[in-house]
């Protein structure tokens, strides 16, 4: 039976205090400016080897050494001259995922046995010297929706063997392999996919540690590191047994719906385990369509209890975002609560980072180099799913709202304001309606105006084409109504507190209205219909994609049409 445990956050707080990192819990209020950017060009060299990234940082060939997790890297960064380290607790989860569609991982007993074989404490102690935060829940500790007392299957080979024996997976005394009770033959080999050691050494080693532990109870589990883009392709078509990866999450708990509701079990969808549980679906719907935060919290807590029982994932750890910056080269990076200073989810560093002169004074313009850990596989925003792709795309697109980096409160951004109301989709039934008021004067990067019509087009296009990545955004949309050039209403078929955040605005109508096949469209490769030397990757964010040489670098340049280039005149 699972036990209930409460994992303390004290270790992480002690770690932050010991390092004295900027952005640590209790640090001063974050300073930032809501305009920019202040750098003319970002060159993003693609450096897959972790040691090579360290060398690039030490040589000043990259202004950032981002997402530090290896203890030796953290220790090294602490002593590098001119390295300034920042840390924030993160909306992050590293996990082991099971493909529950296929036997034997469809069997709860096998999943639970593997969970019993997973030694979180040893992983964190061996690979991370205790720098990570053990995670047993499905919501990170930094979230107000975190549930500390979910049941867990504690590490125990004896318990794993007991679960397998009881379910009929007997151990062959000669081969020391488990016998499949359905066939009477040894169980088939079960593979754990991970990125390669060159790209993500701790992830690859973690997969090996879990596999080795499973083998001790006769489970034929083997690690299989592979090229990251190939791995993502296999996950999208559900061609896997298990894999180890991380999610960078958000402040809202609706990721539970995206990851585990049966409606999201589609090709390239986010329900990669393929879990289909009616009781869980009902609770996730209660969460997804909660009218208020109290209702959402109750549904979230109950859903996490079922997830802990069914184990579509084995949550492993949540990492703090630890980033090192070259303070002799740049200033203005912003440690954002829950996201870190260098995360692609943090727009404030992109806007505020500046070069510095020899005296450390900030200067405008110029070029910085910011390493990419892996090849961006696809720069079509309807298809892109990896952090490496959004490292690029997040600098090309903006949103209707922003989040305060210190409080995470909503801020008007491309929308100057919004209203949330109620309408009747049919007599006697209530639904949410959100009215968005778009700021005037915003332009796409090719100079065309950004208007409410682009919001309507994006929502209609994503819904009509059932784009898997955005199903949670569009599934409940009944209609989108254009009120005027800068006002749009989105009508949802039901009431939900979260509908305010279910909006998309990243498809320029004048480019995408002619795109028939969103899956194969490669906007970064196709020439712009009117502007020579420019592509169809048109955004409304602070940067433009100038050049992408696969295997070498991505080059971004300041968007001259960006609407937040300068502070408003007084």
């Amino acid at each position: 039976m699972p036990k209930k445990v409460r994992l303390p956050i004290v270790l992480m707080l002690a770690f932050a205090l010991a390092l004295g990192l900027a952005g640590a819990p209790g640090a001063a209020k974050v300073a930032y400016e809501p305009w920019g950017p202040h750098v003319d060009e970002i060159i993003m060299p693609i450096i897959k080897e972790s040691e090579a990234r360290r060398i690039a940082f030490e040589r000043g060939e990259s202004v950032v050494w981002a997402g530090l997790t290896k203890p030796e890297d953290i220790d090294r960064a602490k002593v590098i001259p001119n390295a300034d380290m920042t840390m924030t607790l993160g909306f992050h989860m590293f996990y082991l995922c099971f493909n529950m569609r296929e036997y034997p991982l469809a069997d709860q007993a096998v999943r639970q046995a593997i969970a019993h074989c997973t030694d979180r404490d040893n992983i964190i102690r061996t690979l991370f010297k205790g720098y990570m935060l053990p995670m047993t829940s499905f919501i990170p500790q930094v979230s107000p929706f975190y549930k500390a007392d979910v049941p867990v299957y504690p590490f125990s080979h004896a318990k794993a063997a007991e679960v397998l024996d009881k379910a009929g997976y007997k151990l062959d005394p000669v081969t020391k392999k488990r016998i499949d009770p359905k066939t009477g033959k040894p169980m088939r080999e079960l593979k754990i996919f991970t990125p390669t050691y060159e790209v993500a050494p701790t992830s690859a080693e973690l997969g090996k540690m879990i596999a080795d532990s499973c083998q001790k109870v006769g489970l034929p589990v083997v690690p299989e590191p592979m090229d990251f883009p190939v791995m993502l392709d296999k996950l999208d078509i559900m061609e896997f047994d298990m894999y180890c990866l991380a999610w960078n999450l958000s402040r809202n708990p609706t990721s539970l719906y995206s990851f585990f509701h049966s409606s999201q079990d589609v090709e390239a969808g986010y329900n990669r385990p393929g879990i289909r549980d009616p009781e869980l679906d009902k609770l996730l719907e209660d969460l997804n369509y909660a009218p208020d935060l109290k209702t959402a919290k109750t549904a979230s807590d109950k859903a996490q209890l079922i997830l802990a029982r069914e184990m579509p994932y084995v949550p492993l750890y949540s990492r703090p975002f630890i980033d090192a910056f070259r303070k002799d080269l740049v200033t203005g990076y912003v440690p954002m609560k829950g996201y870190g200073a260098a995360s692609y989810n943090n727009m404030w560093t992109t806007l505020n980072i500046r070069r510095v002169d020899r005296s450390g004074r900030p200067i405008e313009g110029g070029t910085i180099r910011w390493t990419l850990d892996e090849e961006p596989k696809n720069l079509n925003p309807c298809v892109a799913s990896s952090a490496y792709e959004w490292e690029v795309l997040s600098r090309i697109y903006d949103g209707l709202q922003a989040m305060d980096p210190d409080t995470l409160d909503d801020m008007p951004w491309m929308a100057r304001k919004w209203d949330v109301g109620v309408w009747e989709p049919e007599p006697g039934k209530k639904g949410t309606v959100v009215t968005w008021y778009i700021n005037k004067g915003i332009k796409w990067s090719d100079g065309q105006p950004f208007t409410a019509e682009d919001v309507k087009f994006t929502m209609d296009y994503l819904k009509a084409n059932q784009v898997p990545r955005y199903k949670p955004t569009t599934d409940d949309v009944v209609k989108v109504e254009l009120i005027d050039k800068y006002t749009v209403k989105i009508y949802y078929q039901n009431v939900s507190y979260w509908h305010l955040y279910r909006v998309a605005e990243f498809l320029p109508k004048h480019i995408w209205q002619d795109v028939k096949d969103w899956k194969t469209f490669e906007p970064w490769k196709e020439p712009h219909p009117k502007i020579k030397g420019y592509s169809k990757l048109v955004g409304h964010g602070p940067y433009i994609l100038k050049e992408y040489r696969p295997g070498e670098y991505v080059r971004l340049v300041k968007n001259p049409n960006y609407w937040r280039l300068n502070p408003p005149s007084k």
Side-chain angles (χ1 to χ4, degrees):
M1 292 293 292
K3 293 182 178 179
K4 288 191 175 182
V5 298
R6 188 177 296 270
L7 292 170
I9 203 167
V10 174
L11 292 176
M12 185 52 60
L13 296 177
F15 164 62
L17 294 172
L19 289 185
L21 299 180
K29 184 175 175 62
V30 173
Y32 69 96
E33 295 175 347
W35 51 79
H38 300 277
V39 172
D40 292 334
E41 180 179 64
I42 303 176
I43 295 176
M44 309 180 83
I46 299 164
I47 304 178
K48 297 183 180 183
E49 295 78 18
S50 59
E51 181 65 9
R53 291 194 294 272
R54 178 191 65 78
I55 293 171
F57 179 73
E58 291 198 17
R59 290 177 174 174
E61 295 168 0
S62 174
V63 300
V64 65
W65 191 10
L68 301 180
T69 58
K70 294 168 62 178
E72 56 268 32
D73 289 344
I74 296 170
D75 293 341
R76 176 64 185 170
K78 287 159 59 178
V79 299
I80 293 175
N82 294 312
D84 183 27
M85 297 178 69
T86 68
M87 190 281 278
T88 65
L89 298 179
F91 291 112
H92 172 275
M93 173 173 64
F94 197 97
Y95 62 98
L96 171 71
C97 177
F98 301 110
N99 187 345
M100 297 171 61
R101 305 172 190 86
E102 302 290 338
Y103 182 80
L105 292 170
D107 190 335
Q108 185 186 37
V110 176
R111 300 195 302 275
Q112 290 181 5
I114 294 173
H116 276 306
C117 289
T118 303
D119 189 349
R120 289 180 187 82
D121 290 343
N122 185 49
I123 288 170
I124 292 171
R125 182 174 57 250
T126 303
L127 297 183
F128 304 109
K129 290 186 180 178
Y131 285 160
M132 300 297 111
L133 192 63
M135 185 171 180
T136 57
S137 63
F138 289 78
I139 295 286
Q141 291 90 332
V142 71
S143 170
F145 287 83
Y146 169 63
K147 184 169 176 57
D149 59 347
V150 295
V152 298
Y153 296 93
F155 171 66
S156 168
H157 286 130
K159 286 285 186 182
E162 180 183 330
V163 169
L164 291 169
D165 288 341
K166 186 176 180 180
Y169 297 88
K170 302 299 183 182
L171 188 67
D172 186 314
V174 178
T175 64
K176 302 298 182 184
K177 304 285 185 179
R178 292 283 165 176
I179 302 300
D180 187 331
K182 289 189 175 182
T183 65
K185 298 179 180 179
M187 292 177 67
R188 69 174 179 87
E189 186 176 77
L190 300 172
K191 296 178 179 179
I192 300 179
F193 290 169
T194 69
T196 62
Y197 276 89
E198 290 75 19
V199 172
T202 53
S203 299
E205 184 60 24
L206 186 152
K208 182 179 184 301
M209 291 174 70
I210 295 174
D212 290 348
S213 183
C214 289
Q215 291 171 16
K216 292 180 179 179
V217 298
L219 286 171
V221 178
V222 296
E224 186 168 331
M226 64 175 58
D227 183 67
F228 191 66
V230 174
M231 178 177 168
L232 289 181
D233 284 341
K234 288 182 176 291
L235 302 188
D236 279 349
I237 61 174
M238 310 162 192
E239 194 177 284
F240 69 95
D241 295 320
M242 294 172 275
Y243 69 85
C244 289
L245 274 183
W247 284 119
N248 285 330
L249 304 171
S250 73
R251 61 180 175 172
N252 298 338
T254 47
S255 57
L256 293 177
Y257 182 92
S258 301
F259 295 160
F260 305 118
H261 192 274
S262 59
S263 66
Q264 307 306 306
D265 179 19
V266 296
E267 183 174 326
Y270 284 122
N271 184 352
R272 285 175 173 161
I275 184 171
R276 290 175 172 267
D277 184 292
E279 182 185 6
L280 177 63
D281 277 355
K282 176 62 170 62
L283 288 169
L284 293 176
E285 288 160 11
D286 290 345
L287 167 63
N288 208 38
Y289 306 116
D292 51 59
L293 289 176
K294 182 179 179 181
T295 304
K297 182 68 166 65
T298 299
S300 172
D301 285 351
K302 291 180 178 179
Q304 289 182 71
L305 292 175
I306 295 177
L307 290 168
R309 181 189 74 207
E310 295 299 321
M311 276 290 138
Y313 289 177
V314 179
L316 298 172
Y317 65 84
S318 179
R319 71 174 175 89
F321 286 99
I322 304 174
D323 306 304
F325 290 85
R326 284 292 298 261
K327 63 183 179 182
D328 59 325
L329 300 177
V330 290
T331 188
Y333 34 91
V334 181
M336 184 176 181
K337 180 181 178 181
Y339 296 99
S343 167
Y344 67 86
N345 287 305
N346 181 351
M347 61 181 280
W348 303 111
T349 290
T350 297
L351 289 181
N352 284 265
I353 197 167
R354 296 166 168 84
R355 295 188 309 127
V356 297
D357 62 19
R358 292 183 179 181
S359 300
R361 292 186 294 262
I363 54 177
E364 292 289 317
T367 299
I368 63 172
R369 298 174 70 87
W370 184 297
T371 53
L372 268 176
D373 296 5
E374 180 58 79
E375 199 79 50
K377 173 188 165 189
N378 194 312
L379 295 178
N380 175 340
C382 288
V383 178
S385 63
S386 79
Y388 311 113
E389 291 149 358
W390 283 101
E391 281 280 359
V392 177
L393 292 174
S394 67
R395 293 170 168 88
I396 293 173
Y397 296 104
D398 249 2
L400 297 184
Q401 294 177 321
M403 281 190 290
D404 184 288
D406 191 51
T407 66
L408 300 186
D409 290 340
D410 295 329
M411 295 173 57
W413 200 245
M414 289 200 302
R416 61 184 175 85
K417 67 174 184 175
W418 53 85
D419 294 328
V420 180
V422 177
W423 74 299
E424 286 194 348
E426 57 188 62
K429 183 181 179 181
K430 292 183 178 180
T432 297
V433 57
V434 182
T435 306
W436 294 97
Y437 302 88
I438 310 301
N439 275 304
K440 297 179 181 179
I442 300 176
K443 294 181 180 180
W444 291 100
S445 52
D446 62 359
Q448 292 296 308
F450 169 74
T451 68
E453 192 169 351
D454 293 299
V455 179
K456 174 175 169 54
F457 173 80
T458 302
M459 295 294 289
D460 288 344
Y461 188 95
L462 295 175
K463 186 171 180 67
N465 288 280
Q466 288 290 287
V467 178
R469 305 284 185 214
Y470 297 94
K471 276 178 62 61
T473 299
T474 61
D475 274 351
D476 296 309
V477 173
V478 175
K479 62 179 179 177
V480 184
E481 180 184 7
L482 193 66
I483 304 303
D484 58 41
K485 190 174 182 181
Y486 297 102
T487 311
V488 61
K489 286 180 178 282
I490 304 177
Y491 295 83
Y492 301 86
Q493 66 181 347
N494 38 42
V495 172
S496 174
Y497 176 86
W498 310 110
H499 283 329
L500 174 62
Y501 307 105
R502 292 177 180 136
V503 61
E505 67 296 299
F506 56 81
L507 301 181
K509 181 180 179 180
H510 63 284
I511 297 293
W512 278 79
Q513 63 187 349
D514 298 323
V515 176
K516 305 303 180 185
D517 186 355
W518 61 270
K519 293 182 181 179
T520 59
F521 182 44
E522 296 182 325
W524 71 101
K525 293 182 179 180
E526 294 196 17
H528 191 278
K530 294 183 179 180
I531 303 176
K532 186 176 181 180
Y534 191 33
S535 75
K536 290 183 178 180
L537 185 57
V538 174
H540 35 37
Y543 285 94
I544 296 171
L545 178 70
K546 183 67 174 179
E547 188 178 13
Y548 172 27
R549 292 194 178 184
E552 296 184 43
Y553 61 84
V554 172
R555 182 180 171 216
L556 304 175
V557 296
K558 184 190 292 188
N559 174 8
N561 292 309
Y562 186 51
W563 69 291
R564 303 287 296 191
L565 277 180
N566 301 300
S569 56
K570 296 182 180 180

